[in-house]
Amino acid sequence: MACFDRVSPALREILLKLYRAEKPVEIDHHLYEFGSVEYHVQSSAADPQHNYLSISTPLLSQGALLSYGLSSYTMQMVKQVCSDAVEIVEPAKEGYQLTLKLNFAKVPIGKDSEKVITQISSVQAVILSSQLKEMLRNVNSQDTSQGMNKPIKLVYHPREPFYVIRQPQKITAVFPMRFREHSDVIIATAFFQELMDVGSSEKWAKAPPCTWSPIPPPELRGEPLEDLSTNGGFVCFDISSHHVEGKKLDKTVWSLLNFYAYVKNHVKCTRGFIQRRMQKRLESLVEVLHEEKLQENGNVKKVKAHAESRYGGKLVSLSKPKNFKRRCRDLTRKIMQIRFRIKIHGFRHFRRRWLTIPKFSSPLGYTKLQ
C-alpha cells in the first residue's frame, strides 16, 4: 500500500549515517516497512564509497497474475533519480526486484547532499507510481483494440485492489471500499457524499469528477463476486487528458495510489475527534452536576449555620439573669391567662336566670321492670 510520504524515513536515516560516517562502516542491514516492502543495505569497510541498496516491493499485478519484473519505463524513471550517484545493477540480487549501487563520492557536498539522499530514499515510490503513470499517459491513445471498456484489476495490497477502466477520452478508476467497523462505514459514507458535493462545485471544476454508489458501476459487470462484495460502496474518479499533462501526471498518480490510505486516515481522525468531543462534553456535564451538588450542599450549610446562629444567640441572651427572670414572668403570666377562665362580674347571675335548662315531666308513666 502506498503511503502519504514518498520518502522512507528509516532508509533515509541509514543512508545519511553511511554518508556522514568518518570511518568506513561494515553494514548488512534488512529494513522492513508496511506493505511488504523490504530494503537491504550493504556496505563494506574495504570499499566504503560503493554501497548497495536492494529493494523488494509489491508490484502492480493484474488480477491473479503477479508481476515480478520492472518494465523499461520503470527502469527509465529510476535512472532519472540522481543518475550520477546511482547505478542500476543487473541482474538484481536474488529475492529483490531492483538493486542499486550507490557511489557516495559523487554526492554533492553541503545541503545538496541531503536532497540527493532523500531522492534515493524515494525509489520505492518511483517504482509504484511509474507503473500507473504508464497507463494514464495513454488516455487519448487512438489504439482501441487493447482493453477498451475492459476493467483491469490492479493489486498493490491483497485487501485493497482497485480497477482501471479505459474508455474513450478518459480513464475511470474504481475503488471498492471495505471497512471492519460499522461506525467506520457511517463516517466514510458521509465523507464520500461530501466529496461528491464539493467536487461538483465550480471551485473544483478542474479536479477529476468523483462519484460514489453503494452498488457496483455497470463497467464492473462480470467481475468475481468476492471483489464486488463491499460494505462501503464504490468510489469512481474520471481521469481525462488535462489531468495527466506535465507535472499533473505525477500528482494524479500519487493521489490515486494514496486514496485508500487517505480515506482510512480521515476515518481514523474523525472517529478520534468524535470521541474527544464526546469525552469533553461528558466532562462538562459532570462538572455542571458537581457544581450543582456543591451549591446545594453550600445552601444547606448556610441554613444550618443561620439556624444555629439564631438559636445560639437566643440562648446566649437568655443566659443573662435579668432577661431570664423577665422572660420567665412573661411566660408564666401567659400560661395563667390560657389555663384559667375569664371572669366577668354578674355573668353567673345572668346564667342562672336565663340559661338554665328547664325540667320536663313526661305525662306517660312507666313501670320499673324487676
Side-chain angles (χ1 to χ4, degrees):
M1 184 186 72
C3 301
F4 285 115
D5 195 357
R6 297 171 183 264
V7 181
S8 171
L11 178 61
R12 180 177 179 272
E13 183 180 356
I14 293 175
L15 295 181
L16 284 176
K17 287 183 178 179
L18 281 176
Y19 175 73
R20 295 170 179 173
E22 297 179 357
K23 297 181 179 179
V25 181
E26 191 80 22
I27 288 183
D28 189 358
H29 186 73
H30 291 265
L31 177 64
Y32 299 89
E33 289 186 347
F34 180 77
S36 302
V37 179
E38 179 185 356
Y39 298 100
H40 185 199
V41 182
Q42 291 177 304
S43 179
S44 175
D47 189 10
Q49 296 299 328
H50 294 89
N51 306 276
Y52 293 91
L53 172 62
S54 300
I55 303 173
S56 175
T57 179
L59 301 178
L60 181 68
S61 63
Q62 300 182 7
L65 300 177
L66 300 178
S67 176
Y68 293 97
L70 300 179
S71 64
S72 58
Y73 178 77
T74 302
M75 298 296 287
Q76 182 182 358
M77 296 294 295
V78 173
K79 290 179 181 179
Q80 294 179 4
V81 181
C82 190
S83 58
D84 295 336
V86 178
E87 179 183 351
I88 298 177
V89 178
E90 294 182 358
K93 293 187 177 181
E94 185 178 357
Y96 299 91
Q97 286 86 14
L98 180 66
T99 300
L100 301 178
K101 184 179 181 181
L102 310 179
N103 188 358
F104 287 152
K106 295 184 179 181
V107 175
I109 301 175
K111 295 182 179 180
D112 294 337
S113 61
E114 293 188 8
K115 183 178 180 181
V116 173
I117 298 298
T118 301
Q119 291 177 350
I120 297 174
S121 303
S122 63
V123 173
Q124 191 260 349
V126 173
I127 296 174
L128 283 178
S129 58
S130 62
Q131 296 173 301
L132 189 55
K133 281 182 182 178
E134 195 171 1
M135 293 183 179
L136 298 183
R137 284 173 57 200
N138 302 321
V139 173
N140 293 328
S141 177
Q142 301 298 324
D143 185 10
T144 59
S145 60
Q146 296 183 356
M148 183 63 67
N149 297 325
K150 183 179 180 180
I152 301 175
K153 182 181 178 181
L154 307 180
V155 181
Y156 283 107
H157 192 277
R159 292 179 297 179
E160 299 176 353
F162 67 98
Y163 294 87
V164 172
I165 305 170
R166 191 174 171 189
Q167 298 177 348
Q169 303 300 321
K170 70 175 182 178
I171 288 179
T172 302
V174 183
F175 294 86
M177 306 305 300
R178 298 177 178 86
F179 302 94
R180 294 182 179 180
E181 302 292 337
H182 181 66
S183 58
D184 295 348
V185 177
I186 298 175
I187 296 174
T189 302
F191 170 68
F192 297 148
Q193 293 175 349
E194 184 69 18
L195 189 62
M196 286 193 301
D197 295 340
V198 174
S200 60
S201 61
E202 297 182 359
K203 183 178 179 180
W204 302 99
K206 296 182 179 180
C210 173
T211 57
W212 173 83
S213 175
I215 61 176
E219 293 82 3
L220 295 184
R221 290 177 180 175
E223 295 299 317
L225 183 60
E226 58 270 13
D227 294 339
L228 304 181
S229 300
T230 65
N231 58 356
F234 298 81
V235 181
C236 303
F237 293 96
D238 293 333
I239 311 299
S240 57
S241 58
H242 69 274
H243 295 135
V244 294
E245 293 176 351
K247 296 181 179 181
K248 294 181 180 180
L249 175 61
D250 186 65
K251 187 175 181 180
T252 301
V253 168
W254 195 247
S255 298
L256 293 176
L257 292 176
N258 282 277
F259 182 71
Y260 275 119
Y262 179 78
V263 171
K264 288 185 177 181
N265 182 73
H266 175 79
V267 171
K268 180 179 179 181
C269 294
T270 304
R271 186 173 61 246
F273 173 77
I274 294 174
Q275 291 174 352
R276 289 193 299 271
R277 288 294 300 272
M278 293 177 63
Q279 184 177 3
K280 187 176 180 180
R281 180 62 175 168
L282 179 60
E283 291 176 356
S284 63
L285 293 175
V286 171
E287 185 177 357
V288 171
L289 295 176
H290 184 64
E291 292 179 355
E292 185 69 20
K293 186 176 180 180
L294 291 178
Q295 187 176 2
E296 291 180 357
N297 294 336
N299 294 334
V300 172
K301 290 181 179 179
K302 288 181 180 179
V303 172
K304 289 183 178 180
H306 180 69
E308 290 176 357
S309 62
R310 181 180 178 183
Y311 293 108
K314 290 184 178 181
L315 291 176
V316 172
S317 61
L318 290 175
S319 63
K320 297 180 180 181
K322 293 182 180 180
N323 294 334
F324 179 74
K325 291 180 180 181
R326 180 173 57 81
R327 291 178 180 272
C328 288
R329 286 196 300 267
D330 295 340
L331 181 62
T332 303
R333 187 171 56 254
K334 291 180 179 180
I335 294 174
M336 293 298 292
Q337 290 177 357
I338 295 173
R339 182 171 180 177
F340 297 103
R341 294 179 296 178
I342 299 174
K343 294 182 179 181
I344 302 175
H345 297 286
F347 182 75
R348 183 179 298 178
H349 177 72
F350 175 80
R351 187 181 61 178
R352 284 198 303 265
R353 183 176 180 180
W354 299 103
L355 298 179
T356 302
I357 300 174
K359 297 180 179 180
F360 297 95
S361 59
S362 176
L364 299 178
Y366 63 91
T367 305
K368 184 177 179 180
L369 296 176
Q370 296 299 330

